[in-house]
Amino acid sequence: MAEDNIKLMQGNEACAYGALAAGVTFFGGYPITPSTEIAEILSREMPKNGGRFIQMEDEIASMAAIIGASVAGAKSMTATSGPGFSLMQENLGYAYMTEVPCVVVDVQRGGPSTGLPTKVAQADTMQAKWGTHGDFFPIVLAASTIEDTYHMTIKAFNLAEKYRTPVTLLLDEVLGHMREKIRIPDSSEVEIVNRIKPTVPPEWYQHFELTATHVSPMANYGEGYRFHMTGLTHDPSGFPTAKPAEIKEKLDKLKSKIMQNADDICAYSEEFLDDAHIVVIAYGITARAAQQAVRIARQRRFKVGLFQPITIWPFPEKRLRKILENADLAIVAELNQGQLIHEVRKIAKTKTRVVGTFRYDGELMTPMQIVDKIKEAHR
Amino acid sequence: MSTASTIVYNYLRSKKKFPHVWCPGCGIGIVMGALLRSMADLEIDKNNVVMVSGIGCTGRMPVYCDFNTLHTTHGRAIAFATGVKIAKPNMKVIAVVGDGDGLAIGGNHFIHAARRNIDITTILVNNRIYGMTGGQYSPTTPWQKIGSTAPHGNVEHPFDICDLAKGSGATYFARGTVYHATQLQVLIKAALQKKGFSVVECISNCHTLYGRLNREGSAVKMIQWMKENAINAKVAEKKSPEEIEGKILTGELWNIERPEYTEQYERLIERLGGKPPAEEKPEEKEEAVTQ
């Protein structure tokens, strides 16, 4: 067996190389701290592999271009941070509505507005769910290590292709810029998922065909299918509709595609939960502080465990609900003023107290902040 | 030359997408007709055409055309088209935009696509008003004309779209009117053949709103006005500035050569040993993705 390919890498670098491993063929982006290295690396590497990179005039155009490229058959992505993510929201909704696979990486920084370009936050958690107008059931992932970032970028592409939907990957400033050891897997170890292609002749093809899994096979432009796409609410053939039954059918399809496949989409990791009365819930970079905190608290004889959602949306509520059945206390740790805590509150029964510990001053949460919260809230 | 009926059969989604949404007398249908006839003249394979639009009256055109069609968000047609063109450089990409859609909310994409000189044919239907939302003034509404949001007369000045396109780097610009339908067809045909960012401004009539608000009369009267006030640029050259004051200059106004974006990028790929452009077939590209 060949020697492992071990590298020291930045998170943004890992994201870019993960995208290349996933088979990215189109990147459209706009410079923004702290995500810019992703664009810089891809601008250098993509043309060497026959891929195409373009720096668009703004984030609105970036999002538009990656959708256009994807419909034409590319595996496409963009990378940005909070202010750019805000600008992408309208077209992100367009990608969702028209069921176009693409990947949006949001390297989160402090907000609101221009906020803290070079400091860490996890405050786009709810924007990733509710940023675009209308009902929206997105797939959103959050990475917590550099190695994670590499694999999660590949996973984002795979989920986008599998479910014909935009996928957002949430990183953050620290993850983006921190360097860590990473083992780059051999390409034979990497699972790649491609969109399902139609098997019917063009005259029978419906771009939004209703299927049992709610995922429609997808032809690309230039393959002889000549379909129509519109952000207007449309029927299975893709043309605008104003019929109430067809409108409902379309919105149900979009929701069911994600929610009925939630078991397949949802990922999470767990530690020390078997006998835990206290459950710490943390995601992304904060999960690492939480992991350390749980270990420290365990040494101090607290029956505490960690639940780390890897898929933020859809929220892994089925699993967490089961875990909280035996818990008296849930502590949600996040780098914002309290966002994901609302999801935990929704599913916790009255027996389980839900408290939060937050940090939003541009610094990372320390394990001791969480340990102190465990001590304080435990009774 | 194809006959009208074969063009309708070939290029329109004639079976179920009509009647269209446009007002009786609207000029957009004439623009669409000129576009489809010029494509028939060039015998363009419709499987190889992507028609992209934004939001507005003009934005509805792709629904009726039997190409690969993409009806996008307001103002973003050219940005979506950029992605399509780069992903499939061999496809013919056409953006159909209005004056509000293409030059106000989409103005930034317009100038940057021109600057890149990316091979997109932009058909800009200029009816000088936001029609679909009810007659608000647009970036091409003339000074002092009335819009529903300029009830006391427009205090802003309009773009000269030709200067804008030229100044931004477009390699082809032509202007026609919906009265001069045959000329429009010739101009669009030339634009489709141009390798680079080409723009055809089609002066159209919105008698329902612009005409009514500005007391310019019916569709017939507004189109009559185009007949009387358009002057071919070649003819205008021989006239004095006084004689062409207030006239619409039509015809090919700008045609230069400059390296085209996707060609340049393909060369870059080739230089870096990515893939020679010859392999640029859709099927093969899909294979490459899975490796």
Side-chain angles (χ1 to χ4, degrees):
Chain A
M1 197 183 144
E3 259 183 59
D4 277 356
N5 184 7
I6 306 287
K7 290 252 159 60
L8 181 69
M9 254 189 200
Q10 236 188 10
N12 284 341
E13 231 179 320
C15 176
Y17 283 103
L20 290 165
V24 65
T25 54
F26 182 86
F27 182 99
Y30 188 81
I32 185 168
T33 305
S35 78
T36 312
E37 292 86 355
I38 299 172
E40 287 175 342
I41 293 164
L42 289 176
S43 71
R44 187 183 69 214
E45 296 300 326
M46 284 181 72
K48 292 182 195 166
N49 304 313
R52 294 168 178 94
F53 169 95
I54 186 169
Q55 184 170 307
M56 294 299 288
E57 50 273 21
D58 58 29
E59 286 91 345
I60 300 171
S62 303
M63 192 65 216
I66 70 165
I67 296 169
S70 180
V71 186
K75 277 200 180 180
S76 65
M77 86 181 275
T78 187
T80 189
S81 186
F85 195 45
S86 292
L87 288 175
M88 287 176 185
Q89 292 301 326
E90 187 194 8
N91 285 336
L92 190 59
Y94 182 91
Y96 174 74
M97 185 63 147
T98 53
E99 306 186 43
V100 176
C102 53
V103 173
V104 178
V105 179
D106 174 13
V107 188
Q108 299 171 94
R109 63 194 226 185
S113 189
T114 314
L116 302 160
T118 58
K119 285 188 177 283
V120 68
Q122 294 180 302
D124 301 349
T125 310
M126 280 295 169
Q127 188 190 19
K129 172 70 176 87
W130 299 112
T132 198
H133 57 279
D135 286 321
F136 186 42
F137 293 86
I139 299 177
V140 180
L141 311 174
S144 59
T145 69
I146 304 303
E147 194 152 282
D148 240 14
T149 303
Y150 185 91
H151 292 286
M152 216 77 86
T153 306
I154 299 170
K155 189 183 169 79
F157 274 98
N158 287 348
L159 286 171
E161 292 283 322
K162 185 171 182 181
Y163 291 106
R164 257 189 78 172
T165 195
V167 174
T168 300
L169 171 61
L170 293 178
L171 306 177
D172 59 72
E173 189 277 328
V174 168
L175 211 47
H177 288 154
M178 172 172 72
R179 285 174 206 278
E180 232 175 7
K181 189 179 95 170
I182 171 176
R183 178 184 164 272
I184 305 286
D186 189 72
S187 61
S188 63
E189 296 170 49
V190 177
E191 192 207 356
I192 301 290
V193 180
N194 291 313
R195 59 193 72 170
I196 306 165
K197 305 296 292 181
T199 50
V200 296
E203 57 273 25
W204 295 358
Y205 178 67
Q206 290 199 308
H207 195 56
F208 303 97
E209 185 192 342
L210 302 173
T211 64
T213 59
H214 310 289
V215 183
S216 316
M218 181 174 172
N220 302 325
Y221 282 163
E223 295 174 351
Y225 286 86
R226 294 202 313 278
F227 52 87
H228 182 64
M229 275 188 26
T230 176
L232 290 166
T233 309
H234 42 262
D235 62 19
S237 69
F239 290 98
T241 182
K243 292 179 187 147
E246 286 181 347
I247 295 166
K248 184 173 182 301
E249 186 181 73
K250 172 73 194 184
L251 295 183
D252 285 343
K253 176 185 193 281
L254 289 172
K255 181 180 177 182
S256 303
K257 190 169 74 169
I258 305 302
M259 299 316 283
Q260 288 188 16
N261 294 306
D263 285 347
D264 177 54
I265 298 166
C266 282
Y268 42 82
S269 90
E270 303 176 357
E271 206 173 299
F272 306 123
L273 282 175
D274 292 344
D275 62 343
H277 296 299
I278 306 168
V279 180
V280 174
I281 298 150
Y283 54 99
I285 193 79
T286 309
R288 302 178 70 166
Q291 189 181 46
Q292 187 64 20
V294 166
R295 286 173 190 176
I296 295 167
R298 275 272 161 186
Q299 285 168 359
R300 299 181 186 178
R301 312 237 165 124
F302 286 100
K303 291 204 163 176
V304 54
L306 171 68
F307 182 77
Q308 178 193 350
I310 290 168
T311 315
I312 307 296
W313 308 107
F315 190 66
E317 52 184 80
K318 198 164 128 190
R319 178 63 191 151
L320 187 61
R321 190 176 281 124
K322 182 104 184 106
I323 290 164
L324 292 183
E325 274 173 12
N326 305 316
D328 309 317
L329 179 63
I331 298 173
V332 184
E334 31 184 351
L335 296 177
N336 53 46
Q337 292 177 309
Q339 296 195 11
L340 212 63
I341 190 172
H342 299 298
E343 292 305 304
V344 180
R345 284 210 172 107
K346 262 190 231 168
I347 60 172
K349 301 242 165 60
T350 38
K351 160 180 177 275
T352 314
R353 248 181 335 126
V354 179
V355 298
T357 183
F358 310 126
R359 184 160 192 180
Y360 41 89
D361 60 356
E363 298 292 323
L364 281 179
M365 194 173 293
T366 61
M368 287 319 288
Q369 180 178 335
I370 300 169
V371 173
D372 289 347
K373 194 70 189 178
I374 293 169
K375 281 196 283 187
E376 176 204 315
H378 178 70
R379 52 179 187 226
Chain B
M1 284 289 267
S2 310
T3 63
S5 61
T6 56
I7 293 168
V8 167
Y9 185 79
N10 274 338
Y11 289 106
L12 288 181
R13 287 171 171 144
S14 48
K15 281 182 193 150
K16 53 177 191 171
K17 296 305 154 205
F18 288 82
H20 57 68
V21 297
W22 301 314
C23 301
C26 178
I28 297 175
I30 298 171
V31 176
M32 183 167 83
L35 173 62
L36 296 185
R37 276 188 287 274
S38 57
M39 293 180 81
D41 281 355
L42 294 169
E43 295 175 350
I44 294 175
D45 175 8
K46 58 187 180 176
N47 283 322
N48 203 34
V49 177
V50 184
M51 185 189 256
V52 191
S53 73
I55 299 295
C57 295
T58 306
R60 293 302 180 97
M61 196 190 288
V63 172
Y64 312 114
C65 299
D66 191 17
F67 304 122
N68 302 281
T69 50
L70 188 59
H71 179 220
T72 71
T73 46
H74 192 33
R76 316 303 171 197
I78 293 171
F80 277 81
T82 300
V84 172
K85 183 69 192 179
I86 296 173
K88 289 251 166 91
N90 292 337
M91 292 188 85
K92 176 58 73 188
V93 180
I94 302 164
V96 283
V97 299
D99 45 298
D101 178 50
L103 298 176
I105 187 166
N108 201 29
H109 312 308
F110 179 87
I111 57 172
H112 284 276
R115 177 179 59 78
R116 293 184 187 108
N117 193 32
I118 185 165
D119 185 24
I120 295 169
T121 309
T122 299
I123 308 296
L124 196 151
V125 180
N126 181 7
N127 60 9
R128 304 174 172 189
I129 206 155
Y130 286 86
M132 192 162 271
T133 47
Q136 297 76 27
Y137 73 95
S138 87
T140 57
T141 304
W143 186 58
Q144 289 191 334
K145 291 287 183 182
I146 308 291
S148 68
T149 46
H152 311 294
N154 186 14
V155 294
E156 300 179 21
H157 291 273
F159 271 133
D160 181 322
I161 307 171
C162 180
D163 284 350
L164 185 66
K166 271 162 68 177
S168 309
T171 45
Y172 182 91
F173 181 89
R175 185 185 292 126
T177 84
V178 297
Y179 173 81
H180 305 87
T182 314
Q183 182 201 29
L184 199 57
Q185 184 183 330
V186 172
L187 297 172
I188 292 174
K189 192 173 157 183
L192 286 168
Q193 288 171 290
K194 181 79 186 178
K195 184 94 183 162
F197 190 74
S198 53
V199 183
V200 181
E201 178 189 353
C202 313
I203 304 283
S204 185
N205 57 298
C206 178
H207 50 284
T208 308
L209 293 157
Y210 187 85
R212 194 181 287 166
L213 288 167
N214 289 291
R215 301 184 185 280
E216 291 188 9
S218 65
V220 173
K221 214 172 158 198
M222 286 185 81
I223 292 174
Q224 186 78 23
W225 178 87
M226 292 174 204
K227 180 191 176 187
E228 285 156 10
N229 285 280
I231 178 162
N232 195 298
K234 281 185 192 136
V235 179
E237 272 174 21
K238 294 168 197 147
K239 306 225 175 207
S240 69
E242 291 76 34
E243 283 175 297
I244 56 168
E245 175 76 32
K247 301 277 184 194
I248 308 167
L249 289 189
T250 60
E252 195 178 288
L253 303 180
W254 183 248
N255 191 354
I256 58 160
E257 295 302 323
R258 211 157 66 81
E260 190 272 332
Y261 175 88
T262 55
E263 253 175 26
Q264 293 301 304
Y265 204 90
E266 293 310 294
R267 266 189 218 167
L268 172 75
I269 291 175
E270 202 178 2
R271 180 157 62 82
L272 296 171
K275 251 190 309 182
E279 285 180 27
E280 193 50 49
K281 281 184 194 156
E283 292 78 12
E284 287 177 24
K285 213 175 106 204
E286 290 304 309
E287 288 297 315
V289 167
T290 58
Q291 279 166 11

